Amino acid sequence: MAFAVTIGDVSRFPHSKQVASYLGLIPAEYSSASKRRLGAISKQGNRFVRMLLVESAQSVTRLDPQFHKEYVHLCRNKPKAVAKVAAARKLAVRLYWMLRTEQSSQKAAHIESSPRVPLVGAS
């Protein structure tokens, strides 16, 4: 509920990456000349919703086998906190697609990275 209220009208975001950026779940970038360095998350947006997404992602990783597999894979190479934020970003993207296509989570999981999905009710 907090996610839907914070995001509002999903047609404002043509791409799921913009939702992750709006919520502050993407890394901050520090670039100079040809060097590109990614830092900690940008922490833009509502910190309460970001905290709820991280907490929810912890539960989803226990219940959804696909989330669990990706979380365990990330934990091998990264600290657990980084893996939790990555799972929260993935959860935010899946919730965005559920709102955008008005479908259940299972159907939204298959199209969550496709930019060619039309908006519901848009002509």
Side-chain angles (χ1 to χ4, degrees):
M1 182 70 152
F3 179 82
V5 170
T6 302
I7 294 301
D9 184 20
V10 292
S11 63
R12 296 186 310 153
F13 304 102
H15 303 285
S16 59
K17 289 180 181 181
Q18 293 172 337
V19 172
S21 176
Y22 182 75
L23 295 171
L25 292 170
I26 60 166
E29 182 177 349
Y30 306 102
S31 300
S32 175
S34 63
K35 292 190 177 192
R36 180 178 179 216
R37 285 175 266 157
L38 298 176
I41 61 173
S42 65
K43 296 185 182 177
Q44 298 174 2
N46 190 330
R47 90 174 78 159
F48 181 69
V49 173
R50 194 169 44 253
M51 183 266 308
L52 287 176
L53 282 169
V54 171
E55 293 293 325
S56 299
Q58 287 178 322
S59 297
V60 172
T61 55
R62 285 187 296 244
L63 301 173
D64 187 340
Q66 181 185 359
F67 262 81
H68 181 74
K69 180 180 174 183
E70 292 175 12
Y71 175 75
V72 169
H73 180 72
L74 275 174
C75 284
R76 289 182 190 148
N77 300 327
K78 304 281 184 188
K80 283 190 178 185
V82 173
K84 286 178 189 179
V85 172
R89 181 191 179 281
K90 184 169 181 64
L91 180 62
V93 168
R94 187 172 289 184
L95 290 172
Y96 163 76
W97 280 107
M98 286 174 57
L99 291 174
R100 181 172 172 169
T101 60
E102 295 181 358
Q103 294 183 354
S104 68
S105 64
Q106 295 301 324
K107 291 180 183 177
H110 297 292
I111 61 169
E112 68 187 21
S113 62
S114 174
R116 293 182 171 72
V117 178
L119 287 172
V120 175
S123 11

